[in-house]
Amino acid sequence: MTKRPSVAVFKFASCDGCQLTLLDCEDELLALGEKLDIPYFLEATDRREPGPYDVALVEGSITTPHDARRILEVRQQTKFLVTIGACATAGGIQALRNWADHADVLNAVYASPQYIASLATSTAIADHVPVDFELRGCPIDKRQLLEVVRALIAGRRPKTPSHSVCLDCKRRGTVCVVVARGVPCLGPVTQSGCGAICPAYDRGCYGCFGPSVQPNLISLTTQFQRQGTARPDLVRGLRLFNAYAPEFRRECDRLDPATEEPR
Amino acid sequence: MTSGSPGLDQPLFLPRERLGALISELQSRGYIVVGPVIRQAAIVYDELYTVDDLPRGWTDLQEAGTYRLERRADEQYFGYVVGPHSWKQFLFPPVATVATAVATEAGWNVTAADGRDAPQFAFFGMRACELAAVAVQDRVFIQKDYADPIYKARRDKAFFVAVNCTQAAPTCFCASMNTGPRCTVGFDLALTEIDDGFVVEIGGERGRNVIVALGLAAATNDALRDAEAARRRAADGQTRSMPTEGLRDLLVGNPNHPRWTEVAERCLSCTNCTQVCPTCFCSSVREVTDLDVRQVERRREWDSCFNFDFSYMNGGVVRNSVRSRYRQWLTHKLATWHDQFGESGCVGCGRCITWCPVEIDLTAEVAAIRGDVS
């Protein structure tokens, strides 16, 4: 390869955990530095070079008018835009504001809310600009991130699995917490990515990687109610990092008719 | 039965306190002994180090979508049926490297898996349905035109200690699939647990060589009678059944039955049934490279016909609905498996019923289709 692909990393409304996953590639970090040109990655370096960029890794959701303009500029400067993490792909935990009154929240949180310029909603990057590839998760998975980087270096399209967390539990021999313990678990409707960590520690899946393909939410939540989980608990379970992913959003709203219509 | 002293092929009696000696004997012959152990609130299969690793005095309570462990009133070693694991995870590992390739100046240096480093397992506590399941996978992996080297090497080395079931779970239906509950073929040794020990049947030369080292006496008539009564409990205790008469034609002839739509409303397409099934054999293969693409691993992983991507071909996904995927699984398992391999793909172990998070029961699905049609 004559020229190293340039990769810029941008942050919007987020906790930085997904960017940290890149820095957490300790064994691969030196090789990555050789293979990639990294002109913009504020969490790692104060180098700030202008675009255009071959690839942008975009973390975070759109929550302010300023960020709504900035993502358009990032898109204009980028050939291949990859969203990383639940904030960027679904709006993140901060999308809980989408079910609340924006003014109430501002008044509750800030002493002088008149200085705050924020949007009433937290939305995914794909709601604002076209996205070429998405890496799910809260946070993203290092192995999937490396797959994107490998694909980028090789000049092919990345491929990450779309199956449910259940398949990962079975491959690693984990006993199903739903069947053996009656623990509600979002694994059957959640996309693979983390390697099925929580059920291996006897916990239900929290759905960090968002809805799997064609998820049957209604069947699963109906079953959990039959096994004794209360509706409000199911609503809370779905309103986490991927609450505003369309399939999870529809189901928690269906279970919670008292909810105000989300904006 | 192979040659040998006819006296040795009479059933022997293994006193309960000497069960550990059988495990030690296998270990001393170089086997990794794998058997039932309690992990994560279930009886699963993992390496046994001593007889104390066995779930002595425990049983399992199973129904569609539910599995619970409970203390038994007695100290039986094998007083339960089958759990979420099956022996397939040892013969057909969930993740395996089928080949590696390294870039050299002269080109790619490719090494394919040949099974040479296969571990030598002794499976301790295989049930009749599980022996039948291994026979089904034998036909898939080694008896057709292309033998899988990973499976074959592990299978050839494996020693099978079977255990006859002495009780049935409500999810069991091996009797109707004609695969159990009695272990009749395919084992090296078969135990039947009675009050003070085990009646041991010898399945062949390899089993005889192992058991002879323990110097056991022949089982008494009383012990044989008790063992027979214990085995009968497992047969008589079965409440579920799968009527197999005309089953292939029933399913193949009803691709548009409304029941497929109804079950799809419940099915999560989560893959659990296929992963706990001891005969499901689907996998996918992908290449994993280093950053330079100088080293490539071709990796095989368990996959499932319930996955959206599994039927992806150029142009799109062939089975683009839960309805079509459930129908594909059940019809293959119970019907077109006959066309492909000359037998059913179901051994009646009931795992897919117990481990379905939403309680889908294939015997009920078949009954619904049969009832509406005939």
Side-chain angles (χ1 to χ4, degrees):
Chain A
M1 194 165 291
T2 50
K3 184 173 167 292
R4 296 184 301 168
S6 61
V7 178
V9 184
F10 295 97
K11 170 192 160 66
F12 289 80
S14 60
C15 78
D16 289 38
C18 294
Q19 295 181 69
L20 265 182
T21 305
L22 187 57
L23 295 176
D24 194 31
C25 295
E26 291 171 356
D27 294 339
E28 298 85 3
L29 207 52
L30 290 176
L32 285 177
E34 283 173 19
K35 300 285 170 201
L36 305 174
D37 181 32
I38 301 182
Y40 193 97
F41 183 8
L42 289 186
E43 184 156 294
T45 164
D46 57 8
R47 182 183 171 203
R48 298 178 190 210
E49 300 201 4
Y53 313 110
D54 291 322
V55 175
L57 301 179
V58 176
E59 178 196 82
S61 67
I62 301 300
T63 60
T64 66
H66 173 251
D67 278 355
R69 288 191 300 275
R70 189 161 63 97
I71 189 61
L72 299 178
E73 291 162 17
V74 170
R75 176 72 267 189
Q76 283 167 349
Q77 296 293 317
T78 302
K79 285 189 204 161
F80 194 78
L81 191 151
V82 181
T83 48
I84 59 170
C87 298
T89 60
I93 190 73
Q94 60 272 27
L96 291 180
R97 77 159 69 156
N98 302 358
W99 281 275
D101 185 282
H102 187 221
D104 284 353
V105 173
L106 285 180
N107 289 326
V109 174
Y110 297 102
S112 306
Q114 67 271 25
Y115 298 116
I116 304 297
S118 65
L119 298 170
T121 55
S122 168
T123 46
I125 298 298
D127 291 342
H128 300 264
V129 295
V131 168
D132 298 301
F133 194 77
E134 67 174 27
L135 275 186
R136 304 271 200 87
C138 185
I140 56 168
D141 179 74
K142 174 181 146 175
R143 291 156 297 188
Q144 292 198 349
L145 179 63
L146 285 171
E147 161 61 15
V148 168
V149 173
R150 276 194 300 264
L152 166 68
I153 293 170
R156 63 174 169 84
R157 196 173 167 78
K159 177 139 178 56
T160 51
S162 67
H163 60 72
S164 75
V165 171
C166 297
L167 181 58
D168 294 325
C169 272
K170 293 296 184 282
R171 283 177 184 165
R172 64 185 284 181
T174 300
V175 175
C176 179
V177 297
V178 177
V179 173
R181 296 170 190 268
V183 172
C185 171
L186 288 177
V189 293
T190 297
Q191 183 169 298
S192 165
C194 64
I197 298 168
C198 291
Y201 294 92
D202 305 332
R203 304 289 297 262
C205 168
Y206 291 91
C208 300
F209 279 70
S212 55
V213 184
Q214 299 174 346
N216 192 342
L217 268 301
I218 293 179
S219 175
L220 191 66
T221 59
T222 303
Q223 176 74 359
F224 290 157
Q225 286 180 82
R226 210 164 32 228
Q227 291 173 345
T229 305
R231 275 172 94 107
D233 292 335
L234 291 171
V235 172
R236 271 194 291 277
L238 287 166
R239 286 199 186 137
L240 279 174
F241 325 108
N242 289 284
Y244 216 56
E247 295 91 342
F248 284 5
R249 182 204 322 170
R250 273 197 297 275
E251 180 59 6
C252 62
D253 288 344
R254 187 187 72 86
L255 289 167
D256 187 11
T259 308
E260 286 177 52
E261 269 301 298
R263 277 165 284 268
Chain B
M1 196 82 29
T2 48
S3 64
S5 147
L8 271 180
D9 289 341
Q10 288 173 5
L12 305 174
F13 182 71
L14 174 67
R16 176 171 277 177
E17 63 275 10
R18 296 205 60 207
L19 185 63
L22 177 54
I23 295 175
S24 305
E25 180 60 29
L26 289 164
Q27 288 166 333
S28 74
R29 289 164 185 260
Y31 287 103
I32 299 166
V33 182
V34 181
V37 295
I38 293 179
R39 302 262 192 277
Q40 286 198 295
I43 295 170
V44 302
Y45 298 144
D46 203 345
E47 183 162 3
L48 294 178
Y49 297 98
T50 78
V51 71
D52 297 326
D53 294 331
L54 291 167
R56 186 179 191 184
W58 287 93
T59 194
D60 48 9
L61 306 178
Q62 302 193 41
E63 249 309 341
T66 312
Y67 178 103
R68 292 292 183 279
L69 288 182
E70 192 176 75
R71 271 323 279 196
R72 293 177 63 88
D74 60 28
E75 292 296 307
Q76 291 240 331
Y77 276 105
F78 298 101
Y80 42 85
V81 290
V82 293
H85 287 186
S86 71
W87 307 100
K88 112 177 156 180
Q89 72 200 60
F90 302 102
L91 297 177
F92 167 48
V95 181
T97 301
V98 295
T100 53
V102 179
T104 66
E105 305 233 323
W108 287 99
N109 186 1
V110 179
T111 314
D114 55 10
R116 221 176 328 187
D117 54 353
Q120 176 177 296
F121 290 117
F123 296 160
F124 202 83
M126 300 177 81
R127 307 307 175 110
C129 61
E130 300 184 313
L131 292 169
V134 170
V136 168
Q137 287 213 325
D138 283 352
R139 274 179 276 284
V140 173
F141 284 120
I142 52 183
Q143 291 172 7
K144 300 284 273 189
D145 297 342
Y146 300 97
D148 180 80
I150 297 172
Y151 183 95
K152 185 173 190 316
R154 289 167 175 240
R155 176 71 177 90
D156 287 347
K157 291 179 179 176
F159 188 99
F160 291 172
V161 180
V163 168
N164 282 298
C165 285
T166 55
Q167 64 188 72
T171 44
C172 293
F173 58 101
C174 65
S176 64
M177 297 308 297
N178 205 24
T179 56
R182 179 85 150 97
C183 299
T184 53
V185 290
F187 57 81
D188 294 299
L189 296 170
L191 315 182
T192 303
E193 185 164 22
I194 56 177
D195 277 348
D196 49 354
F198 306 86
V199 169
V200 184
E201 294 164 88
I202 298 164
E205 192 65 39
R206 202 163 51 161
R208 186 181 301 119
N209 288 339
V210 168
I211 204 69
V212 83
L214 270 62
L216 303 178
T220 63
N221 285 337
D222 280 356
L224 293 176
R225 198 190 54 237
D226 290 350
E228 181 54 34
R231 288 191 294 261
R232 199 173 312 118
R233 278 203 305 277
D236 295 347
Q238 292 195 22
T239 51
R240 255 188 180 79
S241 70
M242 173 78 82
T244 52
E245 178 85 26
L247 183 53
R248 183 205 167 275
D249 293 346
L250 176 80
L251 294 179
V252 169
N254 280 288
N256 294 315
H257 195 284
R259 185 72 179 189
W260 300 121
T261 305
E262 197 276 335
V263 70
E265 286 170 11
R266 287 175 287 135
C267 177
L268 305 171
S269 205
C270 63
T271 77
N272 274 316
C273 50
T274 57
Q275 303 306 296
V276 295
C277 178
T279 70
C280 272
F281 57 83
C282 283
S283 63
S284 54
V285 174
R286 65 191 173 104
E287 262 114 38
V288 183
T289 72
D290 66 352
L291 287 174
D292 288 321
V293 201
R294 306 289 291 171
Q295 294 209 35
V296 183
E297 177 200 358
R298 181 167 292 172
R299 192 181 292 170
R300 182 181 75 185
E301 294 165 306
W302 283 3
D303 207 331
S304 172
C305 54
F306 279 95
N307 282 335
F308 177 80
D309 281 350
F310 194 67
S311 66
Y312 179 84
M313 289 190 250
N314 183 24
V317 171
V318 176
R319 290 187 282 274
N320 192 0
S321 67
V322 178
R323 174 180 175 274
S324 62
R325 294 198 286 275
Y326 187 86
R327 183 180 61 192
Q328 162 66 24
W329 176 66
L330 197 71
T331 305
H332 184 221
K333 183 69 55 185
L334 298 174
T336 53
W337 205 294
H338 286 277
D339 306 344
Q340 195 177 4
F341 299 108
E343 63 186 342
S344 176
C346 176
V347 296
C349 70
R351 283 183 178 87
C352 59
I353 303 172
T354 298
W355 297 97
C356 174
V358 291
E359 304 177 21
I360 294 173
D361 170 358
L362 80 173
T363 67
E365 297 311 311
V366 167
I369 291 173
R370 191 185 291 280
D372 288 355
V373 171
S374 56

